[in-house]
Amino acid sequence: MTDREKSSRPPLVLVANDQEWSARSLESILGPNGYAVLRAYTGKQALERARTAQPDIVILDAQMPDLHGIEVCRALREDSRFSGTTPIIITTSGPSGRAERLEAYRAGAWEFLGQPLDGEALLLKLHTFVQTKLQVDRVRDESLLDETTGLYNMRGLSRRAREIGSEAFRRHHGLSCVVFAPIIEGLEPDHSPTDEMGMRLAQAVGSVFRQAGRASDAIGRLGQLEFAVIAPATGPEETLLLVERLRASLEGTALSLNGGSPASVQMRAGYCAVPDFSESTVDAVEMLLRATTALRNLKMEKGGSMVRAFDQVTVHRP
């Protein structure tokens, strides 16, 4: 979603409260003041809807029938699928003291409010919270780095591809783009790792690539489990050596992905490389896309080679 789309739609507030009168009271404050409201009636439902709807603000009642609001808040803060910039407010109609308020803040709540709510004060706080979230999101969207791994994101890789390509063109150097995908041994090829395991694997791959990559290479993350290397002064033959070096570094590292015994990880790779970039008919960003195509073509085949060049891509026709 673009910044313009974010600014043009009303902020979405997820209200999790099983007390109809209390939820309607909040809706009567929020609706006329430009907020869209999404309801949840249990803690589990709040977790599901927060993950799927990605609201701008979450207001949780402390006393829900299945999970305490503080438990829900803590679970959301620990969930990689939920934005860490989203404000969470916990409200309570029952007795509360300093200890509960501090526990709410430790769980990641931005505010802890007793009822009855002061509507005017609530609206002023919500406005401040929403503006803060939008500013942080804008900075994050414009960042060149991936939050999970510290590697370049797609925006950063595209920029570095143009910079490296320009230098390679001027110097008549080779250029290589490689896209890697790790495979967890024992996990069926058609199955994806869990979100938690995927995040741990992404962090582990990022750490290995940062240590094993050359200082001149631009290394980034394209998707959940796809990683790219843009290598200057690297032709087709040198690319295969680069692939084997990074594969060996990863496959030789014991990775603990689920808190248990170390997992064994292999690596597929697709690449596009030219010996003299000044003679290339495509730019560096297109080479990156071609390397991605080579990898995904390789993924469609079970067994066989673990490395595929773009010029070896098989066209699959219906």
Side-chain angles (χ1 to χ4, degrees):
M1 182 175 291
T2 65
D3 289 341
R4 179 175 296 180
E5 290 172 330
K6 289 179 181 178
S7 60
S8 63
R9 67 171 176 81
L12 178 63
V13 182
L14 172 61
V15 174
N17 195 318
D18 68 316
Q19 299 297 321
E20 190 65 24
W21 65 268
S22 181
R24 286 189 178 276
S25 175
L26 274 171
E27 284 186 280
S28 69
I29 295 171
L30 299 172
N33 287 278
Y35 292 91
V37 176
L38 175 66
R39 291 282 304 276
Y41 299 89
T42 66
K44 290 183 179 179
Q45 193 176 65
L47 289 172
E48 293 171 359
R49 294 190 174 177
R51 291 162 180 157
T52 56
Q54 293 296 315
D56 297 294
I57 296 177
V58 177
I59 301 179
L60 302 169
D61 182 52
Q63 292 83 24
M64 282 185 286
D66 55 344
L67 296 173
H68 195 283
I70 292 177
E71 293 180 64
V72 177
C73 178
R74 186 178 292 111
L76 287 175
R77 290 301 184 216
E78 294 173 352
D79 193 331
S80 61
R81 295 166 290 180
F82 181 74
S83 173
T85 65
T86 302
I88 298 177
I89 297 173
I90 299 177
T91 65
T92 180
S93 57
S96 63
R98 182 173 181 271
E100 188 174 14
R101 184 182 302 276
L102 292 178
E103 186 181 2
Y105 294 148
R106 290 190 188 99
W110 284 31
E111 187 57 281
F112 184 88
L113 301 172
Q115 295 183 5
L117 297 173
D118 182 331
E120 184 176 2
L122 177 63
L123 288 171
L124 290 171
K125 288 182 179 182
L126 292 185
H127 176 75
T128 300
F129 290 171
V130 168
Q131 294 307 309
T132 300
K133 179 184 187 298
L134 290 176
Q135 289 177 17
V136 173
D137 287 348
R138 189 174 299 115
V139 171
R140 182 183 60 191
D141 291 343
E142 294 173 355
S143 171
L144 302 180
L145 299 179
D146 174 66
E147 291 183 348
T148 300
T149 63
L151 304 175
Y152 285 114
N153 57 22
M154 188 61 199
R155 182 194 295 268
L157 278 171
S158 297
R159 177 178 293 186
R160 292 292 292 127
R162 288 189 288 269
E163 294 170 350
I164 292 173
S166 176
E167 182 70 8
F169 183 92
R170 186 173 67 85
R171 294 180 177 272
H172 294 269
H173 282 175
L175 183 65
S176 172
C177 294
V178 189
V179 180
F180 295 88
I183 309 166
I184 302 174
E185 190 173 314
L187 190 67
E188 292 295 326
D190 295 334
H191 290 74
S192 299
T194 63
D195 290 325
E196 181 66 22
M197 184 181 291
M199 184 178 70
R200 288 177 180 269
L201 180 55
Q203 291 171 337
V205 173
S207 177
V208 171
F209 275 23
R210 281 197 303 273
Q211 294 175 20
R214 301 179 304 182
S216 58
D217 296 341
I219 305 175
R221 184 186 184 199
L222 295 179
Q224 182 190 24
L225 288 176
E226 288 187 350
F227 302 85
V229 177
I230 303 171
T234 304
E237 293 182 1
E238 294 88 354
T239 297
L240 292 175
L241 296 176
L242 179 151
V243 169
E244 289 307 312
R245 178 168 53 82
L246 290 178
R247 282 184 59 195
S249 295
L250 181 70
E251 294 173 8
T253 303
L255 305 178
S256 180
L257 304 179
N258 56 8
S261 58
S264 178
V265 178
Q266 294 182 320
M267 187 77 81
R268 289 194 182 104
Y271 71 92
C272 180
V274 293
D276 184 343
F277 186 66
S278 68
E279 298 177 358
S280 175
T281 58
V282 297
D283 63 19
V285 175
E286 178 62 28
M287 287 182 63
L288 187 60
L289 295 175
R290 289 187 174 193
T292 304
T293 299
L295 172 65
R296 293 179 181 174
N297 181 266
L298 185 61
K299 284 181 176 180
M300 295 173 66
E301 302 176 3
K302 295 184 178 180
S305 175
M306 298 293 284
V307 183
R308 174 70 47 84
F310 177 75
D311 57 13
Q312 297 172 327
V313 164
T314 302
V315 178
H316 293 269
R317 301 185 183 278

